Amino acid sequence: MDWLEAVRWSPYLVGAGIGVLVWLSFILANRPIGCSTAYARTTGLIERLFRGKKIDEKEYYKKFVPELGWEMMLILGVIIGAFISSQLSGTFDLEVIPQLWSNAFGSSVLLRIAAALLGGFFIGFGARMAGGCTSGHGISGTIQLAVSSWVAFIMFFVGGFITALLLYSLIGGI
Amino acid sequence: MLQKLREERKYRLAIALLIGVVFGFLLQKGGATEYRVIIEQLMLRDFTVLQIIFSAIITGMAGVYLLSHLKIADLSIKPFNVWPVIIGGLIFGVGFALLGYCPGTMAGAFGTGSIHALIGIIGMLIGAGVYASFYARIQKKLGIMDLGDLTIQDHFDISPWFIIPIMMTLLIVVLFFIELMGF
């Protein structure tokens, strides 16, 4: 079972595997794979905890009802699957500041945490505005030949490319 | 049997969990849960992420359309609400580069022990909540051009079976060039 302990598999093999997984998701659940909706529902659940039924009035939560459902189980599965894989290959690591980040911006924990928090914020806001993320638009949507998904997928990488160049090359000097 | 799997809550949730486990496992084995791999992809120094995504698209397209053709599954096309998709996509990209993960891979990275991925998850929950609060206002301002469930074949008014081989060939050529450039 050496292959299960391998650190890396070929990206083509992994990609093909994900393609087949999208078929399976359509067969078994009649739905595509997508990750960002789970976060919106989770936030809704947390908001409801503090502000009660009032949040159900929000138009957005009428569309995406805050409840434990398919997407949240999927995300939970992703965490477990990646955990198992990293345990098998011995790459599990409590990383706070990645090497590439510290090369560019030094080893301040606070700075990295602030950037991660802000980055997460933009991802959450942008993904919900665009109607999906790298999996919902970038994989499942492009597979279905949706114009919205191809445009979103290109925008994700255009925005990411410009920001990465400005941030890491120009400011960070790497 | 399939109907029961799809409709009964406990089976639905178990299937979601199972698909998630395989998805997370594959993302980790592919290197997509690594901050460095994603940042270097955005800087065009490593092409692992696009190699994974393009291979998934090449493999997925024909199968999913066959399932839809055989009436085993229904397609789920996201509406092309032009401005929110473009602007939201760009905002997503900014966050993508700052955090170094996307919604799926941040969950996966957290599974591999990444603490800053967990911070990203918290940020994402806040961002999604703030969007939910502004949703009605943003829709009113930006939702002025909604082209609905548009697909590439609708746009050209031809069969998807004509588009799929073209897309597959194009993506294989792109992958081939990336490989040729030494990645």
Side-chain angles (χ1 to χ4, degrees):
Chain A
M1 300 297 261
D2 284 350
W3 55 283
L4 284 175
E5 291 166 16
V7 174
R8 281 289 188 94
W9 287 356
S10 149
Y12 306 116
L13 189 76
V14 167
I18 292 171
V20 172
L21 200 61
V22 174
W23 305 347
L24 286 176
S25 178
F26 270 106
I27 294 173
L28 297 174
N30 198 20
R31 53 181 307 156
I33 292 176
C35 287
S36 67
T37 313
Y39 295 85
R41 290 196 207 273
T42 306
T43 306
L45 282 177
I46 297 170
E47 259 188 85
R48 193 189 278 152
L49 218 59
F50 288 103
R51 303 181 48 206
K53 293 251 176 268
K54 229 168 54 189
I55 69 121
D56 294 320
E57 310 272 305
K58 282 188 191 175
E59 228 176 289
Y60 198 75
Y61 291 134
K62 284 180 191 162
K63 210 171 147 193
F64 296 98
V65 180
E67 58 187 5
L68 182 116
W70 207 86
E71 299 101 341
M72 263 188 247
M73 292 304 283
L74 184 84
I75 289 288
L76 190 66
V78 169
I79 298 174
I80 297 170
F83 173 77
I84 296 171
S85 172
S86 68
Q87 285 294 328
L88 284 172
S89 55
T91 49
F92 184 90
D93 175 31
L94 294 171
E95 176 185 85
V96 180
I97 304 174
Q99 186 67 46
L100 191 137
W101 174 272
S102 63
N103 287 348
F105 304 109
S107 52
S108 157
V109 173
L110 205 65
L111 185 67
R112 179 56 198 149
I113 285 184
L117 196 65
L118 190 66
F121 180 89
F122 283 134
I123 291 175
F125 194 95
R128 297 325 294 158
M129 188 168 169
C133 62
T134 340
S135 48
H137 267 314
I139 296 176
S140 301
T142 52
I143 281 177
Q144 298 177 76
L145 304 171
V147 176
S148 60
S149 298
W150 278 95
V151 172
F153 174 51
I154 293 166
M155 291 303 138
F156 296 161
F157 279 86
V158 168
F161 170 71
I162 296 171
T163 311
L165 233 51
L166 285 175
L167 197 65
Y168 296 93
S169 290
L170 256 98
I171 302 173
I174 56 167
Chain B
M1 157 79 177
L2 209 54
Q3 213 56 29
K4 203 175 165 193
L5 281 182
R6 286 176 178 183
E7 277 165 13
E8 222 166 287
R9 187 176 157 86
K10 59 173 190 255
Y11 293 127
R12 285 187 51 212
L13 296 185
I15 285 168
L17 187 71
L18 197 69
I19 290 176
V21 168
V22 178
F23 191 36
F25 195 94
L26 286 169
L27 288 173
Q28 207 281 333
K29 282 282 180 255
T33 56
E34 278 175 43
Y35 165 90
R36 183 195 61 76
V37 171
I38 291 184
I39 295 301
E40 291 197 338
Q41 170 66 74
L42 294 177
M43 299 175 80
L44 309 181
R45 292 176 186 179
D46 180 307
F47 279 83
T48 309
V49 174
L50 285 182
Q51 284 166 338
I52 292 174
I53 294 178
F54 288 166
S55 306
I57 299 173
I58 293 167
T59 316
M61 273 188 298
V64 167
Y65 268 89
L66 188 68
L67 291 171
S68 148
H69 186 77
L70 297 174
K71 307 229 181 315
I72 295 172
D74 304 303
L75 294 183
S76 164
I77 309 286
K78 292 179 192 277
F80 187 24
N81 199 346
V82 179
W83 293 113
V85 168
I86 292 177
I87 299 169
L90 289 172
I91 295 173
F92 179 99
V94 175
F96 201 13
L98 265 169
L99 177 63
Y101 301 116
C102 59
T105 53
M106 70 174 85
F110 172 56
T112 72
S114 169
I115 305 295
H116 58 130
L118 178 63
I119 305 293
I121 291 173
I122 295 168
M124 172 151 187
L125 290 173
I126 299 170
V130 170
Y131 179 73
S133 295
F134 287 98
Y135 168 71
R137 258 176 286 178
I138 291 173
Q139 272 305 314
K140 216 166 139 192
K141 275 230 161 65
L142 296 176
I144 41 177
M145 193 168 30
D146 192 342
L147 304 183
D149 309 344
L150 187 72
T151 58
I152 298 176
Q153 64 272 20
D154 292 340
H155 180 75
F156 292 107
D157 198 18
I158 44 176
S159 157
W161 297 109
F162 190 77
I163 298 284
I164 290 168
I166 296 178
M167 296 297 287
M168 287 175 81
T169 314
L170 275 174
L171 290 174
I172 289 170
V173 169
V174 173
L175 285 180
F176 190 73
F177 269 105
I178 291 173
E179 194 70 38
L180 218 63
M181 288 190 308
F183 292 105

